[in-house]
Amino acid sequence: MYSYTPAEKRQRNRLFRKGFHQALADCVDPQVNARIDRIDAVAAERGQRELHALHAVRDKDRQAVATAKATLRTAPWAERSAARQKVRDAEQQLKRSERAVNKAERE
Protein backbone atom coordinates (compact mmCIF):
# COMPACT_ATOMS: atom_id res chain seq x y z
CA MET A 1 0.00 0.00 0.00
CA TYR A 2 1.28 3.44 -0.92
CA SER A 3 0.24 6.62 0.84
CA TYR A 4 1.35 9.70 -1.07
CA THR A 5 1.03 13.23 0.24
CA PRO A 6 -0.40 15.77 -2.23
CA ALA A 7 3.06 17.30 -2.70
CA GLU A 8 4.58 13.87 -3.39
CA LYS A 9 1.87 13.15 -5.96
CA ARG A 10 2.59 16.40 -7.77
CA GLN A 11 6.35 15.88 -7.68
CA ARG A 12 6.10 12.25 -8.79
CA ASN A 13 3.80 13.16 -11.70
CA ARG A 14 6.14 15.95 -12.77
CA LEU A 15 9.13 13.60 -12.63
CA PHE A 16 7.23 10.90 -14.50
CA ARG A 17 6.38 13.33 -17.31
CA LYS A 18 9.98 14.51 -17.40
CA GLY A 19 11.22 10.92 -17.62
CA PHE A 20 8.67 10.14 -20.32
CA HIS A 21 9.87 13.05 -22.45
CA GLN A 22 13.47 12.01 -21.89
CA ALA A 23 12.61 8.44 -22.90
CA LEU A 24 11.15 9.73 -26.14
CA ALA A 25 14.43 11.53 -26.79
CA ASP A 26 16.33 8.38 -25.72
CA CYS A 27 18.41 10.18 -23.09
CA VAL A 28 16.94 9.24 -19.71
CA ASP A 29 18.57 10.83 -16.66
CA PRO A 30 19.02 8.16 -13.96
CA GLN A 31 18.51 10.80 -11.25
CA VAL A 32 14.86 11.16 -12.31
CA ASN A 33 14.23 7.45 -11.75
CA ALA A 34 16.15 7.54 -8.47
CA ARG A 35 14.02 10.42 -7.19
CA ILE A 36 10.81 8.59 -8.19
CA ASP A 37 12.07 5.46 -6.37
CA ARG A 38 12.81 7.50 -3.23
CA ILE A 39 9.31 9.00 -3.27
CA ASP A 40 7.81 5.52 -3.75
CA ALA A 41 9.87 4.10 -0.87
CA VAL A 42 8.73 6.81 1.54
CA ALA A 43 5.10 6.39 0.45
CA ALA A 44 5.31 2.60 0.85
CA GLU A 45 6.68 2.94 4.39
CA ARG A 46 3.94 5.42 5.29
CA GLY A 47 1.34 3.10 3.78
CA GLN A 48 2.58 0.16 5.85
CA ARG A 49 2.41 2.21 9.05
CA GLU A 50 -1.15 3.29 8.22
CA LEU A 51 -2.15 -0.29 7.44
CA HIS A 52 -0.76 -1.51 10.77
CA ALA A 53 -2.68 1.26 12.55
CA LEU A 54 -5.88 0.23 10.76
CA HIS A 55 -5.34 -3.38 11.82
CA ALA A 56 -4.91 -2.23 15.42
CA VAL A 57 -8.17 -0.26 15.27
CA ARG A 58 -9.98 -3.25 13.78
CA ASP A 59 -8.67 -5.54 16.53
CA LYS A 60 -9.76 -3.04 19.18
CA ASP A 61 -13.24 -2.87 17.61
CA ARG A 62 -13.49 -6.67 17.55
CA GLN A 63 -12.67 -6.73 21.25
CA ALA A 64 -15.31 -4.04 21.87
CA VAL A 65 -17.95 -6.18 20.13
CA ALA A 66 -16.99 -9.20 22.23
CA THR A 67 -17.15 -7.14 25.42
CA ALA A 68 -20.54 -5.68 24.47
CA LYS A 69 -21.94 -9.16 23.76
CA ALA A 70 -20.66 -10.45 27.09
CA THR A 71 -22.26 -7.48 28.82
CA LEU A 72 -25.54 -8.21 27.04
CA ARG A 73 -25.52 -11.83 28.15
CA THR A 74 -24.90 -10.90 31.77
CA ALA A 75 -27.11 -7.80 31.94
CA PRO A 76 -30.20 -7.75 34.17
CA TRP A 77 -33.56 -7.68 32.40
CA ALA A 78 -34.09 -3.94 32.90
CA GLU A 79 -30.75 -3.07 31.23
CA ARG A 80 -30.99 -5.41 28.22
CA SER A 81 -32.22 -2.82 25.72
CA ALA A 82 -29.31 -0.50 26.49
CA ALA A 83 -26.90 -3.42 26.23
CA ARG A 84 -28.39 -4.44 22.86
CA GLN A 85 -27.89 -0.89 21.59
CA LYS A 86 -24.24 -0.99 22.69
CA VAL A 87 -23.79 -4.25 20.75
CA ARG A 88 -25.33 -2.67 17.63
CA ASP A 89 -23.11 0.41 17.94
CA ALA A 90 -20.00 -1.72 18.45
CA GLU A 91 -20.87 -3.88 15.42
CA GLN A 92 -21.40 -0.81 13.23
CA GLN A 93 -18.03 0.57 14.27
CA LEU A 94 -16.44 -2.81 13.52
CA LYS A 95 -18.00 -2.80 10.04
CA ARG A 96 -16.57 0.67 9.38
CA SER A 97 -13.09 -0.34 10.49
CA GLU A 98 -13.21 -3.60 8.48
CA ARG A 99 -14.24 -1.66 5.37
CA ALA A 100 -11.32 0.72 5.89
CA VAL A 101 -8.87 -2.17 6.28
CA ASN A 102 -10.22 -3.97 3.20
CA LYS A 103 -10.04 -0.80 1.13
CA ALA A 104 -6.47 -0.15 2.24
CA GLU A 105 -5.40 -3.73 1.46
CA ARG A 106 -6.87 -3.53 -2.06
CA GLU A 107 -4.88 -0.41 -2.91
Side-chain angles (χ1 to χ4, degrees):
M1 178 177 147
Y2 292 95
S3 178
Y4 295 100
T5 63
E8 288 174 340
K9 286 180 187 178
R10 286 190 304 272
Q11 185 178 15
R12 189 178 189 288
N13 287 336
R14 189 178 71 247
L15 290 170
F16 179 79
R17 286 191 305 273
K18 185 176 183 178
F20 179 75
H21 290 298
Q22 289 178 353
L24 290 177
D26 202 26
C27 59
V28 177
D29 184 11
Q31 289 180 348
V32 171
N33 290 335
R35 287 172 57 190
I36 289 174
D37 290 341
R38 280 195 303 268
I39 291 171
D40 288 343
V42 169
E45 179 188 348
R46 187 181 306 113
Q48 281 301 107
R49 280 186 273 137
E50 289 176 8
L51 188 61
H52 287 300
L54 285 170
H55 282 290
V57 169
R58 184 188 60 186
D59 293 341
K60 181 183 68 103
D61 290 340
R62 283 182 178 167
Q63 185 60 42
V65 168
T67 303
K69 285 183 178 181
T71 303
L72 174 64
R73 290 185 182 114
T74 60
W77 185 257
E79 298 173 9
R80 291 255 170 147
S81 64
R84 270 191 220 101
Q85 186 59 43
K86 286 184 181 182
V87 169
R88 286 187 206 113
D89 293 342
E91 287 174 341
Q92 286 176 353
Q93 179 60 35
L94 177 61
K95 284 181 186 179
R96 284 192 295 269
S97 63
E98 285 179 341
R99 276 191 221 119
V101 168
N102 290 339
K103 181 180 177 185
E105 288 177 342
R106 281 191 307 251
E107 292 178 353

mmCIF file of all heavy atoms in Angstrom, residues 47-69:
data_model
loop_
_atom_site.group_PDB
_atom_site.id
_atom_site.type_symbol
_atom_site.label_atom_id
_atom_site.label_comp_id
_atom_site.label_asym_id
_atom_site.label_seq_id
_atom_site.Cartn_x
_atom_site.Cartn_y
_atom_site.Cartn_z
ATOM 1 N N GLY A 47 2.496 3.960 4.005
ATOM 2 C CA GLY A 47 1.343 3.097 3.785
ATOM 3 C C GLY A 47 1.333 1.900 4.711
ATOM 4 O O GLY A 47 0.282 1.515 5.239
ATOM 5 N N GLN A 48 2.500 1.296 4.937
ATOM 6 C CA GLN A 48 2.585 0.157 5.853
ATOM 7 C C GLN A 48 2.233 0.576 7.276
ATOM 8 O O GLN A 48 1.523 -0.135 7.984
ATOM 9 C CB GLN A 48 3.983 -0.454 5.821
ATOM 10 C CG GLN A 48 4.218 -1.351 4.626
ATOM 11 C CD GLN A 48 3.228 -2.490 4.576
ATOM 12 O OE1 GLN A 48 2.325 -2.494 3.753
ATOM 13 N NE2 GLN A 48 3.375 -3.448 5.452
ATOM 14 N N ARG A 49 2.732 1.740 7.703
ATOM 15 C CA ARG A 49 2.408 2.212 9.047
ATOM 16 C C ARG A 49 0.911 2.451 9.190
ATOM 17 O O ARG A 49 0.309 2.101 10.209
ATOM 18 C CB ARG A 49 3.174 3.494 9.370
ATOM 19 C CG ARG A 49 4.614 3.222 9.790
ATOM 20 C CD ARG A 49 5.310 4.472 10.241
ATOM 21 N NE ARG A 49 5.861 5.102 9.037
ATOM 22 C CZ ARG A 49 5.814 6.392 8.769
ATOM 23 N NH1 ARG A 49 5.278 7.225 9.601
ATOM 24 N NH2 ARG A 49 6.334 6.863 7.655
ATOM 25 N N GLU A 50 0.296 3.046 8.173
ATOM 26 C CA GLU A 50 -1.146 3.292 8.219
ATOM 27 C C GLU A 50 -1.933 1.982 8.234
ATOM 28 O O GLU A 50 -2.939 1.859 8.934
ATOM 29 C CB GLU A 50 -1.574 4.160 7.039
ATOM 30 C CG GLU A 50 -1.097 5.586 7.147
ATOM 31 C CD GLU A 50 -1.446 6.427 5.930
ATOM 32 O OE1 GLU A 50 -2.192 5.938 5.051
ATOM 33 O OE2 GLU A 50 -0.972 7.566 5.862
ATOM 34 N N LEU A 51 -1.470 1.002 7.471
ATOM 35 C CA LEU A 51 -2.145 -0.294 7.440
ATOM 36 C C LEU A 51 -2.054 -0.989 8.799
ATOM 37 O O LEU A 51 -3.046 -1.553 9.275
ATOM 38 C CB LEU A 51 -1.545 -1.175 6.345
ATOM 39 C CG LEU A 51 -2.261 -2.490 6.065
ATOM 40 C CD1 LEU A 51 -3.698 -2.224 5.607
ATOM 41 C CD2 LEU A 51 -1.517 -3.274 5.007
ATOM 42 N N HIS A 52 -0.889 -0.919 9.435
ATOM 43 C CA HIS A 52 -0.756 -1.507 10.771
ATOM 44 C C HIS A 52 -1.670 -0.802 11.768
ATOM 45 O O HIS A 52 -2.273 -1.449 12.637
ATOM 46 C CB HIS A 52 0.692 -1.450 11.252
ATOM 47 C CG HIS A 52 1.598 -2.415 10.559
ATOM 48 N ND1 HIS A 52 1.412 -3.774 10.594
ATOM 49 C CD2 HIS A 52 2.690 -2.217 9.789
ATOM 50 C CE1 HIS A 52 2.356 -4.375 9.893
ATOM 51 N NE2 HIS A 52 3.143 -3.434 9.378
ATOM 52 N N ALA A 53 -1.787 0.508 11.649
ATOM 53 C CA ALA A 53 -2.676 1.255 12.545
ATOM 54 C C ALA A 53 -4.134 0.857 12.313
ATOM 55 O O ALA A 53 -4.904 0.706 13.271
ATOM 56 C CB ALA A 53 -2.493 2.758 12.336
ATOM 57 N N LEU A 54 -4.515 0.659 11.052
ATOM 58 C CA LEU A 54 -5.885 0.230 10.756
ATOM 59 C C LEU A 54 -6.164 -1.161 11.322
ATOM 60 O O LEU A 54 -7.251 -1.423 11.833
ATOM 61 C CB LEU A 54 -6.140 0.245 9.242
ATOM 62 C CG LEU A 54 -6.327 1.608 8.606
ATOM 63 C CD1 LEU A 54 -6.334 1.482 7.079
ATOM 64 C CD2 LEU A 54 -7.606 2.251 9.090
ATOM 65 N N HIS A 55 -5.174 -2.038 11.237
ATOM 66 C CA HIS A 55 -5.336 -3.378 11.816
ATOM 67 C C HIS A 55 -5.521 -3.293 13.335
ATOM 68 O O HIS A 55 -6.332 -4.033 13.907
ATOM 69 C CB HIS A 55 -4.137 -4.270 11.485
ATOM 70 C CG HIS A 55 -4.168 -4.821 10.100
ATOM 71 N ND1 HIS A 55 -5.070 -5.778 9.695
ATOM 72 C CD2 HIS A 55 -3.408 -4.560 9.009
ATOM 73 C CE1 HIS A 55 -4.863 -6.079 8.424
ATOM 74 N NE2 HIS A 55 -3.855 -5.338 7.989
ATOM 75 N N ALA A 56 -4.779 -2.390 13.969
ATOM 76 C CA ALA A 56 -4.912 -2.232 15.420
ATOM 77 C C ALA A 56 -6.298 -1.722 15.795
ATOM 78 O O ALA A 56 -6.905 -2.195 16.762
ATOM 79 C CB ALA A 56 -3.842 -1.277 15.940
ATOM 80 N N VAL A 57 -6.818 -0.780 15.006
ATOM 81 C CA VAL A 57 -8.166 -0.256 15.267
ATOM 82 C C VAL A 57 -9.197 -1.357 15.076
ATOM 83 O O VAL A 57 -10.131 -1.502 15.887
ATOM 84 C CB VAL A 57 -8.467 0.955 14.350
ATOM 85 C CG1 VAL A 57 -9.932 1.330 14.402
ATOM 86 C CG2 VAL A 57 -7.604 2.142 14.742
ATOM 87 N N ARG A 58 -9.043 -2.153 14.028
ATOM 88 C CA ARG A 58 -9.980 -3.248 13.781
ATOM 89 C C ARG A 58 -9.966 -4.259 14.925
ATOM 90 O O ARG A 58 -11.016 -4.711 15.386
ATOM 91 C CB ARG A 58 -9.651 -3.943 12.462
ATOM 92 C CG ARG A 58 -10.663 -5.040 12.121
ATOM 93 C CD ARG A 58 -10.244 -5.841 10.938
ATOM 94 N NE ARG A 58 -8.958 -6.481 11.232
ATOM 95 C CZ ARG A 58 -8.272 -7.158 10.340
ATOM 96 N NH1 ARG A 58 -8.692 -7.272 9.116
ATOM 97 N NH2 ARG A 58 -7.129 -7.714 10.662
ATOM 98 N N ASP A 59 -8.772 -4.591 15.408
ATOM 99 C CA ASP A 59 -8.675 -5.537 16.529
ATOM 100 C C ASP A 59 -9.328 -4.973 17.787
ATOM 101 O O ASP A 59 -10.003 -5.695 18.525
ATOM 102 C CB ASP A 59 -7.217 -5.893 16.798
ATOM 103 C CG ASP A 59 -6.593 -6.690 15.669
ATOM 104 O OD1 ASP A 59 -7.367 -7.280 14.863
ATOM 105 O OD2 ASP A 59 -5.354 -6.723 15.575
ATOM 106 N N LYS A 60 -9.137 -3.675 18.016
ATOM 107 C CA LYS A 60 -9.760 -3.036 19.178
ATOM 108 C C LYS A 60 -11.280 -3.061 19.042
ATOM 109 O O LYS A 60 -11.997 -3.330 20.016
ATOM 110 C CB LYS A 60 -9.272 -1.596 19.300
ATOM 111 C CG LYS A 60 -9.839 -0.839 20.487
ATOM 112 C CD LYS A 60 -9.366 0.602 20.499
ATOM 113 C CE LYS A 60 -9.944 1.362 19.361
ATOM 114 N NZ LYS A 60 -11.009 2.246 19.552
ATOM 115 N N ASP A 61 -11.789 -2.830 17.834
ATOM 116 C CA ASP A 61 -13.236 -2.866 17.615
ATOM 117 C C ASP A 61 -13.797 -4.276 17.775
ATOM 118 O O ASP A 61 -14.906 -4.453 18.279
ATOM 119 C CB ASP A 61 -13.583 -2.309 16.237
ATOM 120 C CG ASP A 61 -13.350 -0.807 16.146
ATOM 121 O OD1 ASP A 61 -13.288 -0.154 17.210
ATOM 122 O OD2 ASP A 61 -13.236 -0.299 15.018
ATOM 123 N N ARG A 62 -13.054 -5.287 17.351
ATOM 124 C CA ARG A 62 -13.488 -6.670 17.553
ATOM 125 C C ARG A 62 -13.601 -6.987 19.044
ATOM 126 O O ARG A 62 -14.545 -7.648 19.481
ATOM 127 C CB ARG A 62 -12.515 -7.638 16.889
ATOM 128 C CG ARG A 62 -12.668 -7.715 15.396
ATOM 129 C CD ARG A 62 -11.718 -8.712 14.798
ATOM 130 N NE ARG A 62 -11.919 -8.812 13.362
ATOM 131 C CZ ARG A 62 -11.087 -9.417 12.540
ATOM 132 N NH1 ARG A 62 -9.991 -9.997 13.003
ATOM 133 N NH2 ARG A 62 -11.338 -9.462 11.257
ATOM 134 N N GLN A 63 -12.621 -6.502 19.804
ATOM 135 C CA GLN A 63 -12.667 -6.728 21.254
ATOM 136 C C GLN A 63 -13.851 -5.986 21.864
ATOM 137 O O GLN A 63 -14.501 -6.499 22.782
ATOM 138 C CB GLN A 63 -11.353 -6.265 21.898
ATOM 139 C CG GLN A 63 -11.274 -6.562 23.371
ATOM 140 C CD GLN A 63 -11.391 -8.051 23.663
ATOM 141 O OE1 GLN A 63 -10.810 -8.884 22.975
ATOM 142 N NE2 GLN A 63 -12.142 -8.388 24.690
ATOM 143 N N ALA A 64 -14.170 -4.798 21.352
ATOM 144 C CA ALA A 64 -15.308 -4.037 21.872
ATOM 145 C C ALA A 64 -16.623 -4.767 21.606
ATOM 146 O O ALA A 64 -17.528 -4.771 22.458
ATOM 147 C CB ALA A 64 -15.344 -2.646 21.249
ATOM 148 N N VAL A 65 -16.740 -5.401 20.438
ATOM 149 C CA VAL A 65 -17.948 -6.179 20.133
ATOM 150 C C VAL A 65 -18.061 -7.362 21.085
ATOM 151 O O VAL A 65 -19.143 -7.641 21.629
ATOM 152 C CB VAL A 65 -17.948 -6.656 18.654
ATOM 153 C CG1 VAL A 65 -19.028 -7.689 18.415
ATOM 154 C CG2 VAL A 65 -18.119 -5.475 17.719
ATOM 155 N N ALA A 66 -16.960 -8.052 21.323
ATOM 156 C CA ALA A 66 -16.987 -9.195 22.233
ATOM 157 C C ALA A 66 -17.365 -8.755 23.646
ATOM 158 O O ALA A 66 -18.156 -9.427 24.326
ATOM 159 C CB ALA A 66 -15.631 -9.889 22.233
ATOM 160 N N THR A 67 -16.827 -7.644 24.081
ATOM 161 C CA THR A 67 -17.151 -7.136 25.416
ATOM 162 C C THR A 67 -18.620 -6.746 25.513
ATOM 163 O O THR A 67 -19.293 -7.038 26.510
ATOM 164 C CB THR A 67 -16.261 -5.924 25.745
ATOM 165 O OG1 THR A 67 -14.894 -6.321 25.647
ATOM 166 C CG2 THR A 67 -16.543 -5.388 27.135
ATOM 167 N N ALA A 68 -19.138 -6.088 24.467
ATOM 168 C CA ALA A 68 -20.544 -5.682 24.471
ATOM 169 C C ALA A 68 -21.470 -6.894 24.490
ATOM 170 O O ALA A 68 -22.497 -6.890 25.173
ATOM 171 C CB ALA A 68 -20.834 -4.800 23.259
ATOM 172 N N LYS A 69 -21.114 -7.948 23.748
ATOM 173 C CA LYS A 69 -21.942 -9.156 23.756
ATOM 174 C C LYS A 69 -21.913 -9.849 25.110
ATOM 175 O O LYS A 69 -22.937 -10.352 25.580
ATOM 176 C CB LYS A 69 -21.480 -10.114 22.660
ATOM 177 C CG LYS A 69 -21.899 -9.674 21.280
ATOM 178 C CD LYS A 69 -21.501 -10.680 20.233
ATOM 179 C CE LYS A 69 -21.972 -10.247 18.861
ATOM 180 N NZ LYS A 69 -21.615 -11.226 17.821
#
